Amino acid sequence: MGDIMYKKLIFTSELSNDEKVQEILPLLVQKNYETEFKTLNEDFSLNEPASTLVIGTNTDESILCKNLNISFGLATWQCQSFRHIKTDYYFRQPYDILNLLTSIEAPYKNMKWLTTAMEMQFIAQAGLAYTKDRFDHERFTRLSEMAAEIMAQYTDLPKEKVQNLFCNETGYQTPKIDTRSVIFQDDKILLVKEIDGRWSMPGGWVDVNQSICDNIIKEAREEAGLDVVPTRLVAIHDRNRHNTPLYAYGIAKVFMLCEVIGGHFSPNIETSESAYFSLDNLPRLSVGKNTEEQIRLCFAAYKDKNWIPVID
C-alpha cells in the first residue's frame, strides 16, 4: 500500500531476542520484505543502501548508517535514553515499523491540482474567519469559489456539491476527527454491515458537542446497539496515509478498545447487521473507514495488555 520504497529491513543483533520484533517478522515477510539480523561494525556495508532500513538501538549504529547514507530507525523501547540521538525514524514499539511500511508516505504526490485547491480553500476559509474588510471578504469568497471550481473540474462533481462538501466550514481549518469502537468477543472483532453491504467497526465523525470517548460510546450504541466503556487507545491514524479514496481534507482516525456492558443489535438507518469475525475470515470491508491492516493492528492491541498506541 505504501509509497515507502524499502525492500529490506536489517535489525541489529540486540533485537534478535525481542519477542515483539519476532511477532511482526511473519507480517513483514508476508508483505515481501526481506528481513535479517546483523551486527553493525566498521566493516558493515550494503549493496543497495537506498532500499534498506536498519533498525537499531544506539547512537553508534545511527551515526554509522548516516555516514553510509542508509536509513536508520531507532528502537526506542530498547533505549534508556535517546535524548541526543538524531535519526530518520523513532519507533516506540515494533508495530510502529509495520505502520510506517504500510502507510502512504506522500498521499498527495503527483496531485498538484488537489494540493493547490486545498491551499486556496485553507487561505480563503481563514481569511473569511478573520478579515474585517468587506473588500477582502469578497476576495476570499471568490478564492473559495475558485477552489471549488478546480475540484469540480477534476472530480466531475457539480460545483454546488463540491462547495457543500469542501467549502462549507467556517473558522480556521483543522482536521476532522473520526472514531472507531474496537470491540472483541472470544478473540473475534465486532463489525457492522452498512447499507452498501460493506463492513466496518462502529464509528463516525465526532459531533461538535462530543468528546472522543463520548462519541465512541454514542456510535457503538447507534450502530451496534451496544453499551460500551472505552478502555485503551489503539492508534491515531492520518486517514489519507492509510485509507482510500483520498479526501481533500485532513482526518484523524481514533481507534479505541472498548468493553461491552450491555445492549443488543437492532437494524437501523445506518447498519443492517452485526457480527464477530476472526482475522482470517474478514468480510468485504469499507476500506475508507477501516482496512485489514487497521483491523490487524486492533487484534495486536487486544492481545497485548501493555500496548503502546501507534500514532502517525
Side-chain angles (χ1 to χ4, degrees), residues 105-137:
E105 185 178 33
Y108 300 107
K109 187 178 180 181
N110 300 323
M111 301 183 77
K112 182 63 177 176
W113 65 270
L114 178 58
T115 56
T116 298
M118 291 172 66
E119 186 174 359
M120 288 171 64
Q121 173 55 23
F122 170 78
I123 294 170
Q125 188 171 312
L128 289 169
Y130 296 114
T131 187
K132 299 186 186 306
D133 186 288
R134 65 185 181 88
F135 295 106
D136 281 343
H137 191 280

Side-chain angles (χ1 to χ4, degrees), residues 2-226:
D3 289 340
I4 300 166
M5 300 304 292
Y6 298 122
K7 298 177 182 177
K8 181 175 182 178
L9 278 75
I10 293 178
F11 295 87
T12 57
S13 55
E14 293 90 342
L15 295 169
S16 60
N17 295 320
D18 190 302
E19 291 183 4
K20 294 298 180 184
V21 170
Q22 293 295 328
E23 188 176 309
I24 69 165
L25 287 181
L27 302 177
L28 294 170
V29 173
Q30 188 181 79
K31 296 184 178 302
N32 299 317
Y33 288 103
E34 183 182 345
T35 62
E36 182 181 355
F37 289 92
K38 204 175 186 70
T39 300
L40 270 61
N41 53 39
E42 294 180 356
D43 298 324
F44 177 71
S45 64
L46 291 173
N47 293 328
E48 297 183 73
S51 62
T52 301
L53 172 62
V54 174
I55 298 150
T57 61
N58 60 60
T59 305
D60 292 340
E61 294 167 346
S62 174
I63 293 172
L64 177 61
C65 287
K66 183 177 181 180
N67 292 336
L68 295 172
N69 291 318
I70 301 169
S71 295
F72 183 83
L74 185 69
T76 63
W77 70 93
Q78 290 281 8
C79 302
Q80 290 185 345
S81 174
F82 51 94
R83 182 177 178 182
H84 299 295
I85 303 178
K86 294 184 178 180
T87 188
D88 299 293
Y89 305 105
Y90 297 88
F91 299 120
R92 287 161 301 205
Q93 59 133 314
Y95 272 89
D96 277 338
I97 302 167
L98 197 65
N99 188 64
L100 170 73
L101 297 173
T102 56
S103 67
I104 303 171
E105 185 178 33
Y108 300 107
K109 187 178 180 181
N110 300 323
M111 301 183 77
K112 182 63 177 176
W113 65 270
L114 178 58
T115 56
T116 298
M118 291 172 66
E119 186 174 359
M120 288 171 64
Q121 173 55 23
F122 170 78
I123 294 170
Q125 188 171 312
L128 289 169
Y130 296 114
T131 187
K132 299 186 186 306
D133 186 288
R134 65 185 181 88
F135 295 106
D136 281 343
H137 191 280
E138 291 177 1
R139 296 184 185 102
F140 287 127
T141 299
R142 177 56 188 144
L143 188 63
S144 180
E145 290 173 352
M146 291 169 64
E149 288 168 3
I150 293 174
M151 288 291 295
Q153 180 177 350
Y154 283 92
T155 60
D156 293 326
L157 290 173
K159 179 184 170 183
E160 294 73 21
K161 186 168 185 179
V162 171
Q163 286 178 315
N164 288 334
L165 292 173
F166 182 53
C167 309
N168 67 339
E169 294 187 10
T170 58
Y172 193 84
Q173 192 178 97
T174 59
K176 297 176 180 290
I177 303 175
D178 170 88
T179 62
R180 295 290 143 183
S181 306
V182 184
I183 301 166
F184 281 90
Q185 178 178 291
D186 299 327
D187 294 331
K188 294 181 179 181
I189 195 167
L190 176 74
L191 300 176
V192 291
K193 189 175 185 180
E194 300 174 348
I195 301 304
D196 65 3
R198 295 177 296 177
W199 295 75
S200 70
M201 289 176 267
W205 298 124
V206 175
D207 289 344
V208 68
N209 61 344
Q210 300 282 328
S211 70
I212 287 175
C213 284
D214 287 343
N215 203 71
I216 283 171
I217 293 168
K218 178 182 75 70
E219 292 290 340
R221 184 180 300 120
E222 290 178 354
E223 294 190 0
L226 298 178

